[in-house]
């Protein structure tokens, strides 16, 4: 496995594969890798000849009071994990390599679906994701790109601009990887105190209860209110509990497939999770 830190070096490493028309798979990450990321790499490995993983903590997707500076940077540990799951090339550029030292005047703003859910609490976040992911797509030029469904809204935003801008690759969404107790894996879980780590799986349990209630015929509004009550009683400060279609359109009743979304703070740590509930076939 090679590690490249420059765009030029990455191109030199990928050019033979491009010339031989090999299928290139790409997993963009911000590092501090866990099983969720490694499962993305495993999926890429199944489908592609060459697997590239980027590790880049992207400054422009963090708000001024967010954790850009303290975001865990664990390159050496990440390299070991990636070598074990068969990654071919790690791309770990510096901020300067990605953004240069001249001002960036171009933005990629996906309307509507970015002004909802996490976009409300994190203004500009998805613009920053869209810019860096587009840059990375242009640098790597993969055939397939792999993203986790835990960041369901991010995945929807990426699918949208890939379609709108005719970016020539296929986006693959990979199911959420969970700890044994149900907590969706996230690099930010490491911020939780032992006490809060024990409470955190309540989010998934609440989603599962909500699914059971919906399937038993409880009204959607009541199900969402119950989720709020349970999470608040467990000590969460709820940011949002929402129901959307898989395309992120608002939904009032459970009369089609629905995705239940939760964002909630436990101590200083903001956790997100989601669960898709299929509308029962007649
Ligand atoms: O999901 C992430 O880790 C990041 O948002 C991504 C897609 C790597 C862009 O920086």
């Amino acid at each position: 496995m090679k590690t490249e830190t420059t765009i030029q070096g990455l191109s030199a490493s990928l050019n033979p594969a491009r010339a031989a028309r090999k299928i290139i798979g790409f997993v963009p990450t911000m590092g501090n890798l866990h099983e969720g990321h490694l499962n993305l790499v495993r999926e890429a490995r199944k489908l592609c000849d060459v697997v590239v993983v980027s590790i880049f903590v992207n400054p422009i997707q963090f708000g001024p009071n967010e954790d850009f500076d303290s975001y865990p940077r664990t390159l050496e540990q990440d390299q070991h994990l990636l070598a074990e799951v068969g990654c071919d090339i790690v791309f770990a550029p510096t901020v300067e390599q990605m953004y240069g030292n001249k001002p960036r005047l171009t933005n990629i703003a996906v309307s509507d679906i970015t002004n909802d859910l996490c976009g409300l609490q994190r203004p500009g976040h998805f613009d920053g994701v869209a810019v860096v992911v587009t840059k990375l797509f242009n640098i790597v030029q993969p055939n397939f790109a792999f993203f986790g469904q835990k960041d369901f809204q991010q995945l929807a935003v990426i699918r949208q601009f890939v379609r709108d801008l005719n970016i020539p690759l296929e986006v693959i969404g990979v199911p959420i990887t969970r700890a044994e107790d149900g907590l969706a894996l996230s690099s930010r879980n490491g911020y939780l105190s032992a006490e809060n780590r024990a409470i955190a799986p309540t989010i998934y349990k609440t989603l599962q209860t909500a699914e059971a209630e919906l399937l038993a015929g409880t009204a959607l509004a009541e199900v969402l209110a119950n989720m709020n009550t349970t999470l608040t009683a467990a000590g969460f400060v709820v940011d949002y509990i929402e129901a959307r279609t898989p395309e992120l359109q608002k939904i009032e009743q459970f009369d089609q497939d629905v995705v239940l979304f939760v964002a909630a703070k436990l101590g200083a740590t903001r956790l997100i999770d989601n669960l898709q509930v299929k509308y029962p076939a007649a």
Side-chain angles (χ1 to χ4, degrees):
M1 188 185 77
K2 278 188 187 169
T3 297
E4 300 291 354
T5 55
T6 65
I7 296 168
Q8 232 184 355
L10 181 72
S11 292
S13 282
L14 277 175
N15 278 343
R18 286 180 183 138
R21 298 195 170 278
K22 300 235 171 170
I23 305 291
I24 299 174
F26 178 43
V27 181
T29 80
M30 298 204 299
N32 194 230
L33 304 180
H34 51 66
E35 271 307 301
H37 297 110
L38 301 181
N39 281 339
L40 300 181
V41 180
R42 290 182 184 108
E43 283 304 308
R45 193 66 281 167
K46 282 188 214 157
L47 224 64
C48 306
D49 302 314
V50 178
V51 176
V52 180
V53 176
S54 65
I55 296 182
F56 179 63
V57 185
N58 173 36
I60 69 164
Q61 71 185 73
F62 288 79
N65 299 319
E66 292 185 353
D67 54 346
F68 173 70
D69 288 330
S70 59
Y71 199 87
R73 287 152 172 93
T74 53
L75 182 60
E76 221 174 290
Q77 177 188 311
D78 294 344
Q79 284 167 316
H80 287 302
L81 293 171
L82 288 173
E84 278 170 21
V85 289
C87 165
D88 297 299
I89 304 176
V90 178
F91 179 50
T94 60
V95 172
E96 203 198 341
Q97 183 64 207
M98 285 300 287
Y99 288 106
N101 41 28
K102 295 203 175 122
R104 175 180 57 87
L105 301 179
T106 305
N107 201 9
I108 298 176
V110 179
S111 54
D112 298 341
I113 58 171
T114 54
N115 305 321
D116 190 18
L117 303 172
C118 286
L120 293 172
Q121 281 297 316
R122 306 186 71 191
H125 168 69
F126 289 112
D127 293 4
V129 170
V131 168
V132 81
V133 170
T134 304
K135 283 162 82 72
L136 289 165
F137 283 170
N138 286 333
I139 292 165
V140 178
Q141 296 168 33
N143 302 89
F144 294 95
F146 298 80
F147 294 88
Q149 287 172 353
K150 175 174 163 286
D151 296 305
F152 197 98
Q153 189 178 9
Q154 168 173 281
L155 178 59
V157 169
I158 291 167
R159 284 192 196 285
Q160 184 75 43
F161 71 72
V162 163
R163 187 166 62 239
D164 290 347
L165 302 177
N166 297 92
I167 300 180
L169 56 81
E170 192 177 326
V171 173
I172 311 271
V174 178
I176 299 175
T177 305
R178 298 184 180 280
E180 263 182 30
D181 58 12
L183 179 64
L185 296 192
S186 161
S187 298
R188 291 193 170 98
N189 292 349
Y191 298 154
L192 292 166
S193 65
E195 191 190 337
N196 283 341
R197 176 62 189 81
I199 298 170
T202 311
I203 296 190
Y204 184 51
K205 290 195 187 95
T206 307
L207 284 165
Q208 287 178 306
T209 304
E211 177 180 36
E213 287 175 355
L214 282 177
L215 293 172
T218 311
L220 181 55
E222 192 181 331
V223 170
L224 299 180
N226 291 344
M227 291 175 73
N228 198 1
T229 307
T230 309
L231 288 172
T232 306
F236 290 87
V237 176
V238 172
D239 175 1
Y240 61 76
I241 292 172
E242 294 283 347
R244 296 284 185 273
T245 69
E247 294 73 36
L248 299 187
Q249 299 310 305
K250 292 203 172 163
I251 188 172
E252 303 299 332
Q253 293 175 40
F254 181 44
D255 53 7
Q256 54 185 298
D257 293 352
V258 64
V259 186
L260 301 172
F261 289 93
V262 176
K265 266 191 159 180
L266 203 46
T269 309
R270 187 172 182 276
L271 300 172
I272 61 170
D273 202 348
N274 66 79
L275 185 71
Q276 182 160 353
V277 185
K278 291 264 173 218
Y279 188 66

